[in-house]
Amino acid sequence: MFRNLLSLAVLLSIASTPLVARAVTPVELKSVKIDLPDSDKMFPDGSGSDAINNNCLACHSADMVLNQPSLSKQAWTAEVNKMINNYKAPIAPEDVGTIVEYLTTLKGAK
Amino acid sequence: MAENGAFRSMVTRRRLLAVVGATGAALTKPAWAQRMVDLPLPGGPGAREITTTFPQKGPMILQRTRPPLLETPFEVFDKGVFTPNDQFYVRWHWALIPTEIDIDKFSLSVRGHVNKTLSLSLNDILHGLPSVQLSAVNQCSGNSRGFFQPRVSGGEWANGAMGNALWTGVRLKDVLDKAGVKPGAVQVRFKGLDEPVVADAPHFMKSLDIDHARDGEVMIAYAMNGEQLPLVNGFPLRLVVPGWYATYWVKMLNDIEVLDQPDTNYWTKVAYTIPDTQHASIKPGETGVKMIPINRMVPRSFVTNVASGSKVNAGAPSFLRGIAFGGDCGVASVDFSIDRGQSWHQAQLGKDEGKYGFRQWQTHITLPTPGEYSVLIRCTNSNGVAQPDTPSWNPAGFMRNVIESTDIMAV
């Protein structure tokens, strides 16, 4: 009853905006507890796969990288540096070259 | 013109599990039960799993497991203008997402350049402020990124990183008024409960100009399509910014900060920027272009009932149906062409459920003689802006809205 009055008031007050107060159906919220699936997929074996597995799985699953298109070595270098500079990926400087080589071999521009 | 790709995708049995994870919760289904979709992304890879392992979600195209990037299978858009909650696309940046929300403990803070700092309970929001409803399209800035050529890095979506819902909630303006915005406020910054995995990494936050935040349209939603939001879509509260790209629609919203200085945080200032050029387009490799934060959406339209590669009878009418949206305003018209854009004909528009939502359209086309046709669909919005006939390009893969083309064979 109270809500109906409220809706009517809203309807009158906002008639000129697209926010429509079609008698808003009351919504009651319920607490939620779920489990999100995880992925423990690793990068395919190859020279440098240890470096990429150790450095590139903390923030996102491997599919983030494996679903990327083929990119140039320059683009992969920029990508790894973006992870370090923008997202604070803790990657040892000596691993950067190895990871870029791995990515260029796996997904280099043809 | 763009290939109306999503339709080329076919669902096949997964031949084998590429990598067998010993303990992965995502791999609890037997291999034979997993289905794949092949998104027609130029140069690939287009194979994606159809996942049903996310709680409160139905079958979704798995773009990334952690943090979740789940795409709406394109067939869903043929069912009507409202995208069901359980197939509404999902997009997170950081993987520390609370998986448990107690509605009695949750609170939304409103602070910063205000007269009174607020801590609002869900009860305060649901029962203490006027409720409002609005249907609006939520579309990822990078929807359709996978069709960019040359290809760019990012979430490699086909056309399903969008959805339309009827949002129920309260006006952001009413919440800000309750706190009392002080003179000199310039922006309002929004933050959710998700956290970066690395402590010093930038927390995901977005800002709107103060006038935009107070325009009476931006709202804080506690329901979509009449029900509470699935957790992965932002339960319990999500910002709704009608007509603007989804990057602003902060999920699990729990913190609103009124700023007296422009926001300089990474996600507002550095990420999610577009070239300040026509159609946000530049030449691949072009540098030194002024960049601005992405903002209003642009018109788009799709065929939803006929897949590219379909056959119809020559000389007989065939029924065609789809969806369109105007972007930051309503749909004025949807037109189609069967002669590569030389002549256009109006399709019939369905019921208007609100200017920010999807609008269904339908028509009959007659392909006169046997042969291959590219059927083009073009939306013109109520501001007079029409979809362009050549694709734009920018390095982040944002704002694709080229006229889509569906290949149909008349026999």
Side-chain angles (χ1 to χ4, degrees):
Chain A
M1 196 178 58
F2 169 64
R3 290 195 65 85
N4 284 346
L5 280 178
L6 205 62
S7 305
L8 184 64
V10 171
L11 188 66
L12 296 173
S13 69
I14 59 152
S16 60
T17 84
L19 278 178
V20 184
R22 27 180 129 188
V24 174
T25 358
V27 176
E28 289 306 326
L29 303 184
K30 284 204 189 76
S31 295
V32 175
K33 186 176 188 313
I34 60 162
D35 281 317
L36 284 177
D38 200 355
S39 158
D40 48 15
K41 190 175 175 117
M42 307 288 269
F43 287 92
D45 280 344
S47 166
S49 52
D50 284 351
I52 194 163
N53 281 325
N54 290 335
N55 287 293
C56 302
L57 294 173
C59 299
H60 41 70
S61 44
D63 42 7
M64 170 91 270
V65 180
L66 296 174
N67 285 338
Q68 295 302 306
S70 299
L71 299 172
S72 65
K73 183 171 181 178
Q74 192 193 357
W76 279 121
T77 309
E79 204 60 64
V80 174
N81 286 328
K82 178 180 177 185
M83 298 305 128
I84 298 170
N85 299 328
N86 298 8
Y87 301 134
K88 312 298 168 197
I91 298 172
E94 62 269 23
D95 283 343
V96 171
T98 314
I99 296 168
V100 170
E101 281 308 323
Y102 176 89
L103 288 166
T104 313
T105 306
L106 186 72
K107 288 186 157 288
K110 300 201 171 96
Chain B
M1 250 76 54
E3 196 63 34
N4 194 342
F7 280 114
R8 287 257 164 114
S9 50
M10 355 170 283
V11 175
T12 56
R13 292 270 174 217
R14 188 173 192 177
R15 262 154 262 137
L16 54 118
L17 266 172
V19 174
V20 182
T23 57
L27 301 178
T28 47
K29 290 209 147 203
W32 53 263
Q34 305 217 16
R35 293 183 309 157
M36 299 292 285
V37 62
D38 191 9
L39 306 175
L41 312 183
R48 304 284 190 275
E49 192 183 304
I50 300 287
T51 178
T52 50
T53 56
F54 284 81
Q56 306 176 300
K57 301 303 282 188
M60 298 294 287
I61 300 170
L62 182 64
Q63 291 283 4
R64 182 178 70 195
T65 305
R66 171 177 51 87
L69 292 185
L70 310 177
E71 174 165 348
T72 302
F74 206 80
E75 317 81 80
V76 172
F77 299 113
D78 191 49
K79 293 183 193 155
V81 292
F82 292 108
T83 314
N85 294 1
D86 73 343
Q87 289 195 290
F88 209 98
Y89 85 101
V90 171
R91 196 258 179 275
W92 293 86
H93 300 80
W94 290 113
L96 293 186
I97 302 165
T99 51
E100 187 173 3
I101 303 280
D102 182 336
I103 57 158
D104 297 318
K105 296 202 180 112
F106 179 90
S107 69
L108 169 66
S109 66
V110 187
R111 61 193 178 91
H113 205 60
V114 292
N115 294 325
K116 195 170 74 173
T117 296
L118 305 177
S119 173
L120 302 172
S121 68
L122 287 172
N123 196 49
D124 294 336
I125 292 164
L126 267 74
H127 303 295
L129 291 163
S131 335
V132 287
Q133 278 192 331
L134 163 111
S135 69
V137 173
N138 170 290
Q139 181 185 211
C140 179
S141 310
N143 188 25
S144 323
R145 178 183 289 117
F147 297 119
F148 269 60
Q149 282 183 287
R151 294 285 300 275
V152 295
S153 67
E156 301 299 333
W157 306 105
N159 292 327
M162 62 175 186
N164 179 46
L166 177 64
W167 307 95
T168 308
V170 297
R171 286 190 206 87
L172 175 61
K173 178 180 191 301
D174 291 343
V175 170
L176 292 173
D177 285 352
K178 217 174 150 82
V181 172
K182 285 188 185 161
V186 294
Q187 287 194 321
V188 183
R189 180 157 71 189
F190 306 91
K191 189 162 79 127
L193 284 172
D194 46 322
E195 300 267 357
V197 174
V198 172
D200 57 342
H203 202 297
F204 185 78
M205 299 188 281
K206 294 297 293 187
S207 295
L208 296 174
D209 286 346
I210 185 75
D211 290 345
H212 187 186
R214 283 200 294 203
D215 72 357
E217 285 190 359
V218 178
M219 60 188 273
I220 299 170
Y222 51 76
M224 59 192 282
N225 297 325
E227 295 187 356
Q228 67 183 43
L229 282 66
L231 184 134
V232 288
N233 291 102
F235 180 77
L237 300 177
R238 176 169 201 173
L239 196 70
V240 169
V241 189
W244 283 48
Y245 282 98
T247 182
Y248 294 97
W249 301 41
V250 172
K251 296 178 291 299
M252 282 191 186
L253 176 70
N254 76 324
D255 187 53
I256 298 178
E257 186 184 359
V258 178
L259 306 176
D260 62 358
Q261 296 294 322
D263 186 16
T264 55
N265 111 77
Y266 172 78
W267 296 102
T268 295
K269 204 176 165 205
V270 180
Y272 288 105
T273 56
I274 53 167
D276 188 11
T277 58
Q278 201 192 10
H279 300 306
S281 192
I282 60 171
K283 287 196 203 73
E286 194 177 335
T287 54
V289 186
K290 183 182 174 210
M291 302 294 282
I292 55 168
I294 194 167
N295 48 85
R296 295 164 179 276
M297 294 197 290
V298 286
R300 296 194 78 173
S301 56
F302 302 89
V303 178
T304 57
N305 73 325
V306 174
S308 236
S310 300
K311 288 194 176 81
V312 303
N313 289 328
S318 314
F319 180 63
L320 219 57
R321 168 173 70 198
I323 51 166
F325 57 104
D328 62 348
C329 60
V331 171
S333 68
V334 172
D335 301 275
F336 63 94
S337 171
I338 58 169
D339 56 11
R340 298 178 190 275
Q342 289 171 53
S343 62
W344 292 89
H345 313 275
Q346 248 182 38
Q348 193 189 329
L349 296 180
K351 187 173 172 224
D352 185 355
E353 300 276 4
K355 65 177 184 172
Y356 294 117
F358 284 153
R359 186 94 183 254
Q360 219 160 17
W361 59 265
Q362 63 174 56
T363 194
H364 284 90
I365 57 163
T366 301
L367 303 178
T369 51
E372 295 249 19
Y373 293 81
S374 296
V375 177
L376 310 181
I377 305 295
R378 181 185 67 191
C379 172
T380 304
N381 73 20
S382 54
N383 289 337
V385 178
Q387 290 180 254
D389 58 10
T390 51
S392 53
W393 191 91
N394 54 60
F398 290 152
M399 292 181 72
R400 184 176 168 88
N401 81 321
V402 63
I403 294 171
E404 306 284 335
S405 145
T406 306
D407 293 339
I408 301 180
M409 171 86 99
V411 290

